[in-house]
Amino acid sequence: MSQNDQVFDLTIIGGGPTGLFTAFYGGMRQCTVKIIESLPQLGGQLAALYPEKFIYDIAGYPKIRAKELIHALKEQAFHFSPTVCLEERVRYIKKLDGHFEMITNKGVHFSKAIILTAGVGAFEPTRLDHPKTAIFEGKNLHYFVEDLNQFANQKVAIVGGGDSAVDWGLMLESISQEVHIIHRRDKFRAHEHSVENLRNSTINILTPYEVKDLIGSERIEKLVISTSKTQEEKIIEVDAVIVNFGFKSLLGSIKEWGLEIEKGSIVVNSKMETSIPGIYAAGDITTYPGKVKLIAVGFGEAPTAVNNAKAYIDPEAKLQPGHSTSMNLEKPDFVTTR
Amino acid sequence: MAKYTMVDQETCIACGTCGACAPDIYDYDEEGIAFVTLDDNRGMVEIPFDLHEDMQDALESCPSGSIKVAKAQFDSDANKFE
């Protein structure tokens, strides 16, 4: 386990739109900020589930694509160089003398106050259902493509039939030696024009096939695929396998931290304070009488949570922040820790 | 085999995945919450066999586990068989 002894002013759990705006706002209030996110990317549902969809109810934007909103939120948040910890899930939180200790799957973090912006909980990719899956995860069985070039000149098999599978296939076509796409139905559920591009590409489309076996000792060397109806088998040689079966969300361990919870959401007061002093929440994860679960609402709750958390950390600090128009924002600088 | 489906609207996160998988079964209300169009989300109408694969896709793709499929009618209770 890695240990970072620095006690941050604010730790934000969940890097979706509300979390990113909370990070910006924390920086604006001169707090040291850390974001902990379960996926290997920021942006929450917008980045993971519907990057191409238009959103029409963000103040100031008549319409904006989800991925563009996330891009803008990241730029805004990174003005203040928050520390970003990806692929970390907070298992439990302990209140120590004057600050909190958070244990994740990777290590320990310390913070004076916590703001939960975890939406519907931690997202995890749906795993390939096979007994050998665990052997190859973290080696050449991937659920995310973080760097296209890691697949340069490789034989890549992509499993899945949605937008992610088709889009990654099309992007890897010119980089990899060969690309196979394996889907258990003939029909893909990606955007029509992406599917048309796929059909016109050099990608080897293997449908209706499912993965039957993974062959290899250290790494997957061959995939055995078969049709569900006729059991006809094929063996393909691979250097890497990318599985895109979508995501599952789980509120998971958050339920066990002793917070007051109502119907799967965290109860907060008008300060966005939870039932544990020093832990605040904002966005879709919160509930109170009249709560509306929209990004626009999360954007309003974020400054309320930060300003009240600031006053909690430093009772001398003003609750009212002053106006951003009088501030001179410096250039962004992005720090990532793993 | 007869199959019935329902969306648990308490847990639906309005992501739009089910309608992309099975547009002939699922649609969304004005808040983006999904429902079964065939019977106004009561889980009473048998889903035509040619839509079963689409329905299975939606079931497996729903990130919040809100799509429910059963061999019997739901009687408007998404958690009837849980």
Side-chain angles (χ1 to χ4, degrees):
Chain A
M1 286 225 273
S2 68
Q3 185 142 352
N4 180 348
D5 287 338
Q6 188 188 342
V7 180
F8 281 73
D9 292 330
L10 292 181
T11 296
I12 296 162
I13 301 176
T18 300
L20 289 168
F21 189 56
T22 306
F24 162 75
Y25 210 91
M28 211 180 84
R29 287 298 322 255
Q30 295 175 314
C31 294
T32 50
V33 174
K34 182 183 266 181
I35 305 174
I36 300 179
E37 164 60 43
S38 65
L39 289 178
Q41 66 184 17
L42 293 168
Q45 289 180 43
L46 281 71
L49 297 176
Y50 50 88
E52 300 294 336
K53 273 201 195 171
F54 280 111
I55 304 173
Y56 298 90
D57 56 355
I58 304 296
Y61 291 95
K63 72 173 192 181
I64 184 167
R65 263 186 222 279
K67 65 178 181 188
E68 284 155 10
L69 179 62
I70 290 305
H71 185 78
L73 283 164
K74 282 191 339 198
E75 186 185 327
Q76 191 177 29
F78 295 165
H79 265 299
F80 297 109
S81 314
T83 297
V84 178
C85 305
L86 299 173
E87 290 183 89
E88 286 206 51
R89 275 177 288 283
V90 179
R91 297 250 164 85
Y92 54 88
I93 294 179
K94 207 157 83 183
K95 194 163 191 177
L96 304 176
D97 192 22
H99 65 273
F100 293 94
E101 179 186 80
M102 286 160 283
I103 314 282
T104 72
N105 53 317
K106 288 191 181 169
V108 186
H109 302 268
F110 301 99
S111 192
K112 292 179 190 166
I114 295 170
I115 301 183
L116 294 169
T117 54
V120 289
F123 273 92
E124 277 185 49
T126 306
R127 300 170 72 199
L128 180 67
D129 183 20
H130 191 279
K132 292 186 200 163
T133 294
I135 304 171
F136 303 114
E137 282 173 346
K139 292 172 186 163
N140 67 341
L141 173 58
H142 307 265
Y143 295 104
F144 262 93
V145 178
E146 284 162 61
D147 175 16
L148 287 168
N149 291 319
Q150 80 182 99
F151 303 103
N153 303 316
Q154 295 197 346
K155 299 186 196 93
V156 182
I158 299 171
V159 190
D163 282 305
S164 304
V166 173
D167 291 347
W168 287 125
L170 291 169
M171 279 191 250
L172 288 170
E173 187 191 2
S174 57
I175 295 168
S176 301
Q177 187 188 337
E178 56 185 53
V179 179
H180 307 274
I181 187 159
I182 300 157
H183 183 39
R184 63 183 167 79
R185 301 182 61 186
D186 291 323
K187 188 171 137 192
F188 286 87
R189 56 170 189 276
H191 280 275
E192 266 173 43
H193 82 270
S194 311
V195 177
E196 197 185 319
N197 289 343
L198 174 69
R199 305 243 181 242
N200 293 329
S201 72
T202 60
I203 296 168
N204 184 24
I205 301 172
L206 297 161
T207 59
Y209 283 96
E210 287 181 90
V211 174
K212 194 178 177 193
D213 201 4
L214 314 167
I215 298 173
S217 48
E218 286 294 305
R219 300 167 70 79
I220 307 170
E221 289 156 22
K222 286 173 187 164
L223 272 187
V224 182
I225 58 173
S226 71
T227 62
S228 52
K229 282 180 188 143
T230 62
Q231 297 296 317
E232 178 207 334
E233 282 188 10
K234 264 191 183 153
I235 295 175
I236 50 174
E237 286 186 26
V238 292
D239 298 310
V241 177
I242 303 166
V243 172
N244 288 126
F245 286 163
F247 299 92
K248 297 287 170 205
S249 72
L250 270 181
L251 206 50
S253 54
I254 295 179
K255 286 180 180 164
E256 290 148 29
W257 299 344
L259 298 159
E260 189 185 344
I261 288 182
E262 220 176 77
K263 281 192 178 173
S265 299
I266 293 171
V267 177
V268 292
N269 60 21
S270 63
K271 293 178 175 178
M272 294 297 129
E273 192 179 35
T274 68
S275 56
I276 300 177
I279 303 184
Y280 296 78
D284 281 1
I285 200 166
T286 70
T287 189
Y288 47 83
K291 166 75 185 186
V292 176
K293 295 195 178 191
L294 289 177
I295 294 170
V297 173
F299 286 170
E301 292 173 359
T304 304
V306 172
N307 287 317
N308 283 287
K310 174 79 179 178
Y312 166 84
I313 296 166
D314 175 9
E316 305 276 294
K318 284 187 201 157
L319 175 64
Q320 298 299 334
H323 293 289
S324 64
T325 42
S326 57
M327 293 176 196
N328 183 15
L329 300 185
E330 287 174 24
K331 288 192 95 178
D333 181 17
F334 179 27
V335 182
T336 302
T337 61
R338 288 285 170 121
Chain B
M1 186 199 302
K3 282 190 178 177
Y4 302 84
T5 183
M6 233 189 122
V7 179
D8 184 347
Q9 299 190 315
E10 290 288 319
T11 56
C12 173
I13 59 171
C15 73
T17 304
C18 57
C21 294
D24 298 326
I25 303 175
Y26 307 99
D27 201 354
Y28 316 105
D29 67 16
E30 67 276 12
E31 288 178 340
I33 301 293
F35 66 95
V36 176
T37 53
L38 308 176
D39 58 7
D40 207 19
N41 208 44
R42 290 181 297 119
M44 300 304 280
V45 167
E46 192 179 327
I47 305 303
F49 182 74
D50 61 344
L51 297 179
H52 281 196
E53 278 201 334
D54 284 355
M55 182 169 63
Q56 186 67 23
D57 252 6
L59 173 70
E60 289 174 11
S61 305
C62 175
S64 59
S66 303
I67 301 289
K68 310 290 178 184
V69 174
K71 293 171 195 162
Q73 292 177 323
F74 283 91
D75 298 319
S76 300
D77 177 6
N79 294 306
K80 187 176 172 186
F81 306 105
E82 304 282 299

Coordinates of all heavy atoms in Angstrom, one line a residue, chain A residues 25 269-272 280 299-309 319:
Chain A
Y25 N -14.0 24.7 -7.3 CA -14.5 25.6 -6.3 C -13.6 25.5 -5.0 O -13.3 26.5 -4.4 CB -16.0 25.4 -6.0 CG -16.6 26.7 -5.6 CD1 -17.2 27.5 -6.5 CD2 -16.5 27.1 -4.3 CE1 -17.7 28.7 -6.1 CE2 -16.9 28.3 -3.9 CZ -17.6 29.2 -4.8 OH -18.0 30.4 -4.5
N269 N -28.2 18.4 5.0 CA -29.0 19.5 5.4 C -28.7 20.7 4.4 O -28.1 20.5 3.3 CB -28.7 19.9 6.8 CG -27.2 20.3 7.0 OD1 -26.5 20.6 6.0 ND2 -26.7 20.2 8.2
S270 N -29.2 21.9 4.7 CA -29.1 23.0 3.7 C -27.6 23.4 3.6 O -27.3 24.2 2.7 CB -30.0 24.2 4.2 OG -29.5 24.6 5.4
K271 N -26.7 22.9 4.4 CA -25.3 23.2 4.3 C -24.6 22.1 3.4 O -23.4 22.1 3.3 CB -24.6 23.3 5.6 CG -25.0 24.4 6.5 CD -24.2 24.2 7.8 CE -24.5 25.4 8.8 NZ -23.8 25.2 10.1
M272 N -25.4 21.2 2.9 CA -24.8 20.0 2.2 C -24.0 19.1 3.2 O -23.1 18.4 2.7 CB -24.0 20.4 1.0 CG -24.8 21.1 -0.1 SD -26.0 19.9 -0.7 CE -27.5 20.9 -0.6
Y280 N -19.3 16.2 3.8 CA -20.4 16.9 3.0 C -20.7 16.1 1.7 O -20.0 15.1 1.4 CB -19.9 18.3 2.6 CG -19.6 19.2 3.8 CD1 -18.5 19.0 4.6 CD2 -20.6 20.1 4.2 CE1 -18.3 19.8 5.7 CE2 -20.4 20.9 5.3 CZ -19.2 20.7 6.1 OH -19.0 21.5 7.2
F299 N -24.2 21.4 -9.7 CA -23.4 22.5 -9.8 C -23.7 23.6 -8.8 O -22.8 24.4 -8.5 CB -23.5 23.1 -11.2 CG -22.8 22.3 -12.3 CD1 -23.1 22.6 -13.7 CD2 -22.0 21.3 -12.0 CE1 -22.5 21.9 -14.7 CE2 -21.4 20.5 -13.0 CZ -21.6 20.8 -14.4
G300 N -24.9 23.7 -8.3 CA -25.3 24.6 -7.3 C -24.9 24.1 -5.9 O -24.5 24.9 -5.1
E301 N -25.0 22.8 -5.7 CA -24.7 22.2 -4.4 C -23.2 22.3 -4.1 O -22.8 22.3 -3.0 CB -25.3 20.8 -4.3 CG -26.8 20.7 -4.3 CD -27.3 19.3 -4.4 OE1 -26.5 18.4 -4.5 OE2 -28.6 19.2 -4.4
A302 N -22.4 22.2 -5.2 CA -21.0 22.1 -5.0 C -20.4 23.3 -4.2 O -19.7 23.2 -3.2 CB -20.3 22.0 -6.4
P303 N -20.7 24.6 -4.7 CA -20.2 25.7 -3.9 C -20.8 25.8 -2.5 O -20.1 26.2 -1.6 CB -20.7 26.9 -4.7 CG -21.0 26.4 -6.0 CD -21.4 25.0 -5.9
T304 N -22.0 25.3 -2.3 CA -22.6 25.3 -0.9 C -21.8 24.4 -0.1 O -21.4 24.7 1.1 CB -24.1 24.9 -1.0 OG1 -24.8 25.7 -1.9 CG2 -24.7 24.9 0.4
A305 N -21.5 23.2 -0.6 CA -20.7 22.2 0.2 C -19.3 22.7 0.4 O -18.8 22.6 1.6 CB -20.6 20.9 -0.6
V306 N -18.6 23.3 -0.6 CA -17.3 23.8 -0.4 C -17.2 24.9 0.6 O -16.4 24.9 1.5 CB -16.6 24.2 -1.7 CG1 -15.3 24.8 -1.5 CG2 -16.5 23.0 -2.7
N307 N -18.1 25.9 0.5 CA -18.0 27.0 1.4 C -18.3 26.7 2.8 O -17.6 27.2 3.7 CB -19.0 28.1 0.9 CG -18.5 28.8 -0.4 OD1 -17.3 29.2 -0.4 ND2 -19.3 29.0 -1.3
N308 N -19.2 25.7 3.0 CA -19.5 25.3 4.4 C -18.3 24.4 4.9 O -18.0 24.4 6.1 CB -20.8 24.6 4.4 CG -22.0 25.6 4.4 OD1 -22.2 26.2 5.4 ND2 -22.6 25.7 3.3
A309 N -17.7 23.6 4.0 CA -16.6 22.8 4.4 C -15.4 23.7 4.8 O -14.7 23.4 5.8 CB -16.2 21.8 3.3
L319 N -17.8 32.3 5.3 CA -18.6 31.4 4.6 C -18.8 31.9 3.1 O -18.7 31.2 2.2 CB -20.0 31.2 5.3 CG -21.0 30.4 4.5 CD1 -20.6 28.9 4.4 CD2 -22.4 30.4 5.2

